[in-house]
Amino acid sequence: MNDTTTQPNRPPLPDHLSIDASSPHHVAAVFEHDIGIHFNGKERFDVVEYCVSEGWVKVPSGKTLDRKGNPLLLKLKGTVDAFYK
């Protein structure tokens, strides 16, 4: 389901992507479109950051916050597939 073909107005999905605007892996042009993440064969809706080549996603750990007030993230390893919806 990895969409390697580029639609006329869709940029290619990067290997490593984060929703945090302060991250060096944030690509604003990708977030203008709906994207989805399959992790271990199931679609996840709570992914904050992913890396396809290394096979991991970061998801929030419930309501737990770090000292800066951001959600505490867990790194889960498995098969990652990013796609445009």
Side-chain angles (χ1 to χ4, degrees), residues 11-14 16-21 23-32:
L13 287 170
H16 189 159
L17 185 65
S18 174
I19 64 170
D20 183 14
S23 170
H25 301 290
H26 179 78
V27 181
V30 171
F31 292 108
E32 294 175 359

Side-chain angles (χ1 to χ4, degrees), residues 26-46:
H26 179 78
V27 181
V30 171
F31 292 108
E32 294 175 359
H33 310 284
D34 287 335
I35 62 170
I37 304 293
H38 279 140
F39 180 68
N40 289 337
K42 293 183 179 179
E43 189 169 3
R44 296 284 306 239
F45 301 100
D46 59 347

Side-chain angles (χ1 to χ4, degrees), residues 16-17 39 49-58 75-80:
H16 189 159
L17 185 65
F39 180 68
E49 187 173 353
Y50 74 82
C51 184
V52 174
S53 63
E54 295 178 11
W56 56 262
V57 295
K58 288 188 180 179
K75 188 179 205 179
L76 306 175
K77 294 185 178 187
T79 306
V80 181

Side-chain angles (χ1 to χ4, degrees), residues 1-2 5 7-9 12 14 21-23 33 36 38-39 41 44 48 50 53-54 59 71-74 76 80 83:
M1 299 215 72
N2 193 357
T5 60
Q7 297 294 326
N9 55 356
S22 64
S23 170
H33 310 284
H38 279 140
F39 180 68
R44 296 284 306 239
V48 174
Y50 74 82
S53 63
E54 295 178 11
V59 295
L72 191 64
L73 301 177
L74 294 176
L76 306 175
V80 181
F83 62 94

